[in-house]
Amino acid sequence: MTQVRISDALRAVVFEPTRDLTEALDEFYAPDYTHRSDGETLDRAGFVEMVARVRGQVVGGSVRVIDELRDGLRYAEWHVYEITLADGSTAKREIAIFGSYAEDGRFRHLSETGFDLSA
């Protein structure tokens, strides 16, 4: 079983606008995926809706991994991402993610929290 990385998922899902979104999501996220961000939990359908909305606003960006840990089906990553939006604004955030894999190596659940950095 090959386990996916969240930094690769971000690149495929958010920063490759010509890639089919459904295909990219299916590659990285299990059908029963849940996503928790700063206290709000989304099921897969809610997550897909959120990603589609964000993807439509992002015109470029990058993600830099600071640290990553895999232990069986447990996963954690600490990264910084920078994005440029269609309106010309930019954002830079430091994110900590903890979660679990499904048996097939895709993400089953991720919880994230982070804070803004000066761009």
Side-chain angles (χ1 to χ4, degrees), residues 28-106:
F28 293 95
Y29 301 97
D32 60 345
Y33 177 72
T34 57
H35 186 88
R36 184 171 171 84
S37 180
D38 296 327
E40 181 182 357
T41 301
L42 300 173
D43 62 10
R44 175 148 171 157
F47 177 72
V48 169
E49 182 180 304
M50 182 268 300
V51 168
R53 186 175 58 253
V54 169
R55 188 185 211 202
Q57 298 170 359
V58 173
V59 296
S62 64
V63 60
R64 179 178 50 89
V65 176
I66 298 169
D67 201 3
E68 182 179 44
L69 175 68
R70 296 177 191 167
D71 182 19
L73 295 179
R74 294 181 294 189
Y75 178 80
E77 185 182 270
W78 173 27
H79 67 252
V80 172
Y81 76 80
E82 296 183 60
I83 58 170
T84 301
L85 300 175
D87 67 5
S89 63
T90 62
K92 184 176 182 180
R93 284 186 57 84
E94 186 170 318
I95 303 289
I97 295 179
F98 303 90
S100 60
Y101 287 109
E103 293 297 326
D104 65 5
R106 295 183 291 172

Side-chain angles (χ1 to χ4, degrees), residues 10-32:
L10 284 170
R11 289 180 189 106
V13 172
V14 179
F15 301 139
E16 293 180 17
T18 59
R19 183 165 182 192
D20 180 75
L21 182 58
T22 300
E23 175 187 297
L25 288 165
D26 287 345
E27 179 179 341
F28 293 95
Y29 301 97
D32 60 345

Side-chain angles (χ1 to χ4, degrees), residues 60 67 108 113:
D67 201 3
R108 170 162 285 138
T113 190

